[in-house]
Short mmCIF file of all heavy atoms in Angstrom, two decimals:
data_model
loop_
_atom_site.label_atom_id
_atom_site.label_comp_id
_atom_site.label_asym_id
_atom_site.label_seq_id
_atom_site.Cartn_x
_atom_site.Cartn_y
_atom_site.Cartn_z
N THR A 145 24.14 37.05 -5.17
CA THR A 145 25.32 36.31 -5.70
C THR A 145 26.30 36.08 -4.61
O THR A 145 26.78 34.90 -4.47
CB THR A 145 25.92 37.16 -6.81
OG1 THR A 145 24.99 37.34 -7.88
CG2 THR A 145 27.20 36.38 -7.36
N PRO A 146 26.74 37.00 -3.75
CA PRO A 146 27.58 36.72 -2.63
C PRO A 146 26.96 35.73 -1.65
O PRO A 146 27.65 34.84 -1.09
CB PRO A 146 27.85 38.03 -1.95
CG PRO A 146 27.64 39.06 -3.01
CD PRO A 146 26.51 38.47 -3.85
N PHE A 147 25.64 35.88 -1.46
CA PHE A 147 24.97 34.94 -0.61
C PHE A 147 25.06 33.47 -0.99
O PHE A 147 25.45 32.57 -0.23
CB PHE A 147 23.48 35.29 -0.46
CG PHE A 147 22.55 34.35 0.24
CD1 PHE A 147 22.66 34.18 1.57
CD2 PHE A 147 21.68 33.58 -0.46
CE1 PHE A 147 21.81 33.28 2.26
CE2 PHE A 147 20.86 32.62 0.13
CZ PHE A 147 20.91 32.55 1.51
N LEU A 148 24.77 33.22 -2.30
CA LEU A 148 24.91 31.86 -2.80
C LEU A 148 26.31 31.35 -2.84
O LEU A 148 26.61 30.18 -2.59
CB LEU A 148 24.24 31.82 -4.21
CG LEU A 148 22.76 32.07 -4.32
CD1 LEU A 148 22.22 32.14 -5.72
CD2 LEU A 148 21.95 31.06 -3.43
N ALA A 149 27.28 32.26 -3.12
CA ALA A 149 28.69 31.89 -3.14
C ALA A 149 29.18 31.51 -1.77
O ALA A 149 29.98 30.50 -1.62
CB ALA A 149 29.56 33.03 -3.75
N ASN A 150 28.72 32.20 -0.74
CA ASN A 150 29.12 31.86 0.63
C ASN A 150 28.50 30.55 1.15
O ASN A 150 29.07 29.77 1.88
CB ASN A 150 28.72 32.97 1.57
CG ASN A 150 29.69 34.15 1.43
OD1 ASN A 150 30.78 34.03 1.41
ND2 ASN A 150 29.09 35.38 1.32
N ILE A 151 27.18 30.25 0.68
CA ILE A 151 26.61 28.97 0.97
C ILE A 151 27.41 27.86 0.34
O ILE A 151 27.67 26.79 1.00
CB ILE A 151 25.18 28.93 0.51
CG1 ILE A 151 24.28 29.80 1.42
CG2 ILE A 151 24.67 27.47 0.54
CD1 ILE A 151 22.79 29.77 1.10
N GLN A 152 27.89 28.09 -0.85
CA GLN A 152 28.73 27.09 -1.54
C GLN A 152 30.06 26.84 -0.73
O GLN A 152 30.40 25.69 -0.54
CB GLN A 152 29.05 27.62 -2.94
CG GLN A 152 30.16 26.88 -3.67
CD GLN A 152 29.83 25.47 -4.18
OE1 GLN A 152 28.62 25.22 -4.35
NE2 GLN A 152 30.82 24.62 -4.29
N SER A 153 30.67 27.94 -0.37
CA SER A 153 32.02 27.79 0.30
C SER A 153 31.92 27.35 1.76
O SER A 153 32.68 26.50 2.23
CB SER A 153 32.80 29.08 0.23
OG SER A 153 32.08 30.11 0.92
N ALA A 154 30.86 27.88 2.46
CA ALA A 154 30.69 27.52 3.87
C ALA A 154 29.93 26.29 4.16
O ALA A 154 30.12 25.65 5.28
CB ALA A 154 30.10 28.69 4.61
N GLY A 155 29.08 25.82 3.17
CA GLY A 155 28.21 24.69 3.43
C GLY A 155 28.59 23.49 2.62
O GLY A 155 29.05 22.53 3.15
N LEU A 156 28.43 23.55 1.30
CA LEU A 156 28.74 22.39 0.49
C LEU A 156 30.21 21.96 0.53
O LEU A 156 30.49 20.78 0.65
CB LEU A 156 28.31 22.69 -0.99
CG LEU A 156 26.86 22.89 -1.31
CD1 LEU A 156 26.59 23.20 -2.69
CD2 LEU A 156 26.12 21.65 -0.87
N ALA A 157 31.11 22.90 0.46
CA ALA A 157 32.49 22.60 0.53
C ALA A 157 32.95 22.07 1.81
O ALA A 157 34.00 21.36 1.93
CB ALA A 157 33.33 23.83 0.18
N ALA A 158 32.18 22.28 2.92
CA ALA A 158 32.52 21.74 4.23
C ALA A 158 31.98 20.40 4.53
O ALA A 158 32.28 19.85 5.53
CB ALA A 158 32.12 22.81 5.33
N MET A 159 31.17 19.90 3.66
CA MET A 159 30.51 18.63 3.95
C MET A 159 31.50 17.41 4.09
O MET A 159 31.32 16.62 4.95
CB MET A 159 29.48 18.22 2.85
CG MET A 159 28.26 19.14 2.94
SD MET A 159 27.02 18.71 1.68
CE MET A 159 26.53 17.10 2.23
N PRO A 160 32.55 17.29 3.24
CA PRO A 160 33.46 16.13 3.46
C PRO A 160 34.09 16.12 4.83
O PRO A 160 34.10 15.06 5.52
CB PRO A 160 34.48 16.33 2.32
CG PRO A 160 33.75 17.09 1.31
CD PRO A 160 32.85 18.03 2.03
N ILE A 161 34.71 17.19 5.31
CA ILE A 161 35.39 17.17 6.58
C ILE A 161 34.38 17.05 7.76
O ILE A 161 34.61 16.36 8.70
CB ILE A 161 36.21 18.46 6.78
CG1 ILE A 161 37.09 18.45 8.01
CG2 ILE A 161 35.43 19.77 6.73
CD1 ILE A 161 38.10 17.38 8.03
N VAL A 162 33.22 17.69 7.63
CA VAL A 162 32.24 17.59 8.67
C VAL A 162 31.72 16.18 8.77
O VAL A 162 31.58 15.55 9.85
CB VAL A 162 31.05 18.59 8.46
CG1 VAL A 162 29.89 18.28 9.39
CG2 VAL A 162 31.50 20.02 8.65
N GLY A 163 31.40 15.58 7.62
CA GLY A 163 30.89 14.22 7.63
C GLY A 163 31.93 13.18 8.18
O GLY A 163 31.57 12.32 9.00
N LEU A 164 33.20 13.30 7.74
CA LEU A 164 34.20 12.39 8.21
C LEU A 164 34.43 12.50 9.74
O LEU A 164 34.45 11.46 10.44
CB LEU A 164 35.55 12.68 7.49
CG LEU A 164 36.75 11.85 7.94
CD1 LEU A 164 36.52 10.38 7.74
CD2 LEU A 164 38.01 12.33 7.20
N LEU A 165 34.55 13.75 10.27
CA LEU A 165 34.81 13.89 11.70
C LEU A 165 33.60 13.44 12.55
O LEU A 165 33.72 12.91 13.55
CB LEU A 165 35.19 15.33 12.00
CG LEU A 165 36.56 15.75 11.46
CD1 LEU A 165 36.84 17.21 11.85
CD2 LEU A 165 37.67 14.86 11.85
N SER A 166 32.41 13.76 11.99
CA SER A 166 31.17 13.29 12.77
C SER A 166 31.06 11.82 12.75
O SER A 166 30.73 11.24 13.79
CB SER A 166 29.91 13.93 12.08
OG SER A 166 30.00 15.36 12.19
N PHE A 167 31.36 11.15 11.67
CA PHE A 167 31.36 9.73 11.62
C PHE A 167 32.36 9.12 12.64
O PHE A 167 32.02 8.20 13.42
CB PHE A 167 31.68 9.23 10.19
CG PHE A 167 31.68 7.71 10.07
CD1 PHE A 167 30.53 7.00 9.81
CD2 PHE A 167 32.88 7.06 10.15
CE1 PHE A 167 30.57 5.66 9.64
CE2 PHE A 167 32.90 5.66 10.02
CZ PHE A 167 31.74 4.92 9.79
N LEU A 168 33.56 9.60 12.62
CA LEU A 168 34.57 9.16 13.59
C LEU A 168 34.19 9.46 14.99
O LEU A 168 34.50 8.64 15.93
CB LEU A 168 35.91 9.77 13.26
CG LEU A 168 36.50 9.38 11.91
CD1 LEU A 168 37.84 10.13 11.68
CD2 LEU A 168 36.76 7.88 11.80
N LEU A 169 33.55 10.56 15.27
CA LEU A 169 33.08 10.86 16.61
C LEU A 169 31.96 9.90 17.09
O LEU A 169 32.03 9.47 18.21
CB LEU A 169 32.56 12.34 16.62
CG LEU A 169 32.21 12.91 18.00
CD1 LEU A 169 33.41 12.90 18.94
CD2 LEU A 169 31.64 14.32 17.91
N GLY A 170 31.12 9.55 16.18
CA GLY A 170 30.10 8.51 16.53
C GLY A 170 30.76 7.18 16.84
O GLY A 170 30.30 6.47 17.76
N VAL A 171 31.78 6.85 16.09
CA VAL A 171 32.53 5.60 16.29
C VAL A 171 33.16 5.63 17.69
O VAL A 171 33.11 4.70 18.49
CB VAL A 171 33.53 5.38 15.21
CG1 VAL A 171 34.56 4.27 15.55
CG2 VAL A 171 32.84 5.01 13.88
N VAL A 172 33.82 6.76 18.02
CA VAL A 172 34.45 6.86 19.38
C VAL A 172 33.47 6.75 20.52
O VAL A 172 33.78 6.08 21.50
CB VAL A 172 35.32 8.19 19.39
CG1 VAL A 172 35.81 8.42 20.77
CG2 VAL A 172 36.46 8.09 18.36
N ILE A 173 32.40 7.46 20.39
CA ILE A 173 31.43 7.47 21.47
C ILE A 173 30.81 6.01 21.67
O ILE A 173 30.69 5.55 22.78
CB ILE A 173 30.24 8.46 21.19
CG1 ILE A 173 30.79 9.88 21.22
CG2 ILE A 173 29.10 8.31 22.17
CD1 ILE A 173 29.78 10.94 20.84
N ALA A 174 30.52 5.37 20.55
CA ALA A 174 29.99 4.01 20.67
C ALA A 174 31.02 3.09 21.20
O ALA A 174 30.68 2.14 21.99
CB ALA A 174 29.51 3.55 19.27
N TYR A 175 32.29 3.23 20.82
CA TYR A 175 33.33 2.28 21.28
C TYR A 175 33.56 2.52 22.81
O TYR A 175 33.65 1.58 23.56
CB TYR A 175 34.58 2.58 20.48
CG TYR A 175 35.76 1.72 21.02
CD1 TYR A 175 35.89 0.35 20.67
CD2 TYR A 175 36.78 2.28 21.78
CE1 TYR A 175 36.94 -0.33 21.11
CE2 TYR A 175 37.79 1.56 22.25
CZ TYR A 175 37.92 0.22 21.93
OH TYR A 175 38.95 -0.53 22.43
N GLN A 176 33.67 3.73 23.18
CA GLN A 176 33.98 3.98 24.58
C GLN A 176 32.79 3.68 25.48
O GLN A 176 32.95 3.12 26.56
CB GLN A 176 34.36 5.48 24.87
CG GLN A 176 35.64 5.89 24.04
CD GLN A 176 36.87 5.26 24.59
OE1 GLN A 176 36.90 4.80 25.77
NE2 GLN A 176 37.90 5.19 23.85
N GLY A 177 31.60 4.03 25.03
CA GLY A 177 30.47 3.72 25.84
C GLY A 177 30.10 2.22 25.76
O GLY A 177 29.57 1.65 26.79
N GLY A 178 30.32 1.59 24.60
CA GLY A 178 29.92 0.19 24.50
C GLY A 178 30.75 -0.72 25.37
O GLY A 178 30.30 -1.73 25.89
N SER A 179 32.05 -0.35 25.55
CA SER A 179 32.88 -1.17 26.44
C SER A 179 32.35 -1.22 27.85
O SER A 179 32.58 -2.17 28.56
CB SER A 179 34.30 -0.66 26.43
OG SER A 179 34.39 0.68 26.90
N GLN A 180 31.72 -0.14 28.31
CA GLN A 180 31.14 -0.13 29.68
C GLN A 180 29.77 -0.75 29.73
O GLN A 180 29.46 -1.49 30.63
CB GLN A 180 31.04 1.34 30.16
CG GLN A 180 32.36 2.09 30.17
CD GLN A 180 33.36 1.46 31.08
OE1 GLN A 180 33.04 0.93 32.17
NE2 GLN A 180 34.60 1.38 30.63
N LEU A 181 28.97 -0.51 28.68
CA LEU A 181 27.58 -1.11 28.65
C LEU A 181 27.67 -2.62 28.57
O LEU A 181 26.81 -3.33 29.09
CB LEU A 181 26.79 -0.48 27.48
CG LEU A 181 26.43 0.99 27.65
CD1 LEU A 181 25.76 1.50 26.37
CD2 LEU A 181 25.47 1.19 28.85
N GLY A 182 28.61 -3.13 27.78
CA GLY A 182 28.76 -4.57 27.61
C GLY A 182 29.04 -5.29 28.90
O GLY A 182 28.66 -6.45 29.06
N ARG A 183 29.61 -4.63 29.92
CA ARG A 183 29.94 -5.31 31.21
C ARG A 183 28.69 -5.66 31.93
O ARG A 183 28.65 -6.55 32.79
CB ARG A 183 30.85 -4.40 32.02
CG ARG A 183 32.24 -4.16 31.46
CD ARG A 183 33.03 -3.30 32.35
NE ARG A 183 34.37 -3.06 31.79
CZ ARG A 183 35.26 -2.36 32.38
NH1 ARG A 183 35.03 -1.85 33.59
NH2 ARG A 183 36.49 -2.14 31.84
N TYR A 184 27.59 -4.87 31.70
CA TYR A 184 26.38 -5.04 32.48
C TYR A 184 25.25 -5.63 31.61
O TYR A 184 24.07 -5.59 32.00
CB TYR A 184 25.91 -3.66 33.09
CG TYR A 184 26.95 -3.05 33.88
CD1 TYR A 184 27.83 -2.05 33.42
CD2 TYR A 184 27.12 -3.47 35.24
CE1 TYR A 184 28.75 -1.50 34.24
CE2 TYR A 184 28.04 -2.87 36.08
CZ TYR A 184 28.94 -1.89 35.61
OH TYR A 184 29.79 -1.31 36.41
N GLY A 185 25.61 -6.07 30.40
CA GLY A 185 24.58 -6.64 29.50
C GLY A 185 23.53 -5.61 29.05
O GLY A 185 22.45 -6.03 28.65
N ALA A 186 23.96 -4.36 28.98
CA ALA A 186 23.02 -3.29 28.49
C ALA A 186 23.40 -2.84 27.14
O ALA A 186 23.43 -1.60 26.85
CB ALA A 186 23.02 -2.19 29.51
N ASN A 187 23.70 -3.76 26.27
CA ASN A 187 24.14 -3.38 24.96
C ASN A 187 23.18 -2.56 24.15
O ASN A 187 23.52 -1.62 23.46
CB ASN A 187 24.44 -4.66 24.14
CG ASN A 187 25.56 -5.50 24.73
OD1 ASN A 187 26.02 -5.26 25.82
ND2 ASN A 187 25.96 -6.50 24.00
N ILE A 188 21.89 -2.75 24.29
CA ILE A 188 20.89 -2.08 23.55
C ILE A 188 20.87 -0.57 23.83
O ILE A 188 20.47 0.23 23.04
CB ILE A 188 19.48 -2.70 23.73
CG1 ILE A 188 18.48 -2.27 22.68
CG2 ILE A 188 19.01 -2.43 25.14
CD1 ILE A 188 18.88 -2.62 21.27
N PHE A 189 21.35 -0.20 25.03
CA PHE A 189 21.28 1.19 25.47
C PHE A 189 22.36 2.05 24.71
O PHE A 189 22.44 3.27 24.87
CB PHE A 189 21.43 1.37 26.92
CG PHE A 189 20.20 0.90 27.72
CD1 PHE A 189 20.29 -0.28 28.39
CD2 PHE A 189 19.08 1.60 27.75
CE1 PHE A 189 19.15 -0.74 29.12
CE2 PHE A 189 18.00 1.19 28.43
CZ PHE A 189 18.01 0.04 29.15
N ILE A 190 23.14 1.43 23.91
CA ILE A 190 24.07 2.15 23.05
C ILE A 190 23.37 3.05 22.07
O ILE A 190 23.88 4.10 21.63
CB ILE A 190 24.99 1.17 22.24
CG1 ILE A 190 26.12 1.88 21.59
CG2 ILE A 190 24.21 0.44 21.17
CD1 ILE A 190 27.11 2.48 22.61
N VAL A 191 22.11 2.75 21.75
CA VAL A 191 21.31 3.59 20.86
C VAL A 191 21.09 4.92 21.54
O VAL A 191 21.27 6.02 20.94
CB VAL A 191 19.95 2.94 20.54
CG1 VAL A 191 19.10 3.82 19.65
CG2 VAL A 191 20.19 1.50 19.91
N GLU A 192 20.63 4.95 22.80
CA GLU A 192 20.36 6.18 23.53
C GLU A 192 21.68 7.03 23.68
O GLU A 192 21.72 8.19 23.52
CB GLU A 192 19.75 5.91 24.88
CG GLU A 192 18.31 5.58 24.89
CD GLU A 192 18.03 4.13 24.61
OE1 GLU A 192 18.96 3.34 24.23
OE2 GLU A 192 16.86 3.73 24.69
N LEU A 193 22.75 6.30 23.98
CA LEU A 193 24.04 6.96 24.30
C LEU A 193 24.49 7.74 23.00
O LEU A 193 24.80 8.91 23.05
CB LEU A 193 25.08 5.95 24.71
CG LEU A 193 26.49 6.50 24.91
CD1 LEU A 193 26.49 7.50 26.06
CD2 LEU A 193 27.50 5.44 25.20
N VAL A 194 24.57 7.05 21.91
CA VAL A 194 25.03 7.64 20.65
C VAL A 194 24.02 8.69 20.17
O VAL A 194 24.46 9.87 19.81
CB VAL A 194 25.34 6.57 19.56
CG1 VAL A 194 25.61 7.27 18.23
CG2 VAL A 194 26.41 5.69 20.05
N SER A 195 22.78 8.38 20.16
CA SER A 195 21.81 9.25 19.47
C SER A 195 21.66 10.59 20.23
O SER A 195 21.72 11.63 19.64
CB SER A 195 20.48 8.55 19.39
OG SER A 195 20.62 7.36 18.67
#
Side-chain angles (χ1 to χ4, degrees):
T145 301
F147 169 74
L148 297 175
N150 286 312
I151 287 184
Q152 164 74 25
S153 62
L156 293 176
M159 289 182 66
I161 184 64
V162 170
L164 176 61
L165 292 182
S166 298
F167 179 85
L168 294 177
L169 187 60
V171 168
V172 171
I173 292 174
Y175 176 77
Q176 297 293 338
S179 63
Q180 301 300 320
L181 293 174
R183 297 181 181 182
Y184 303 98
N187 296 8
I188 193 63
F189 290 105
I190 193 66
V191 180
E192 282 83 351
L193 176 64
V194 172
S195 302

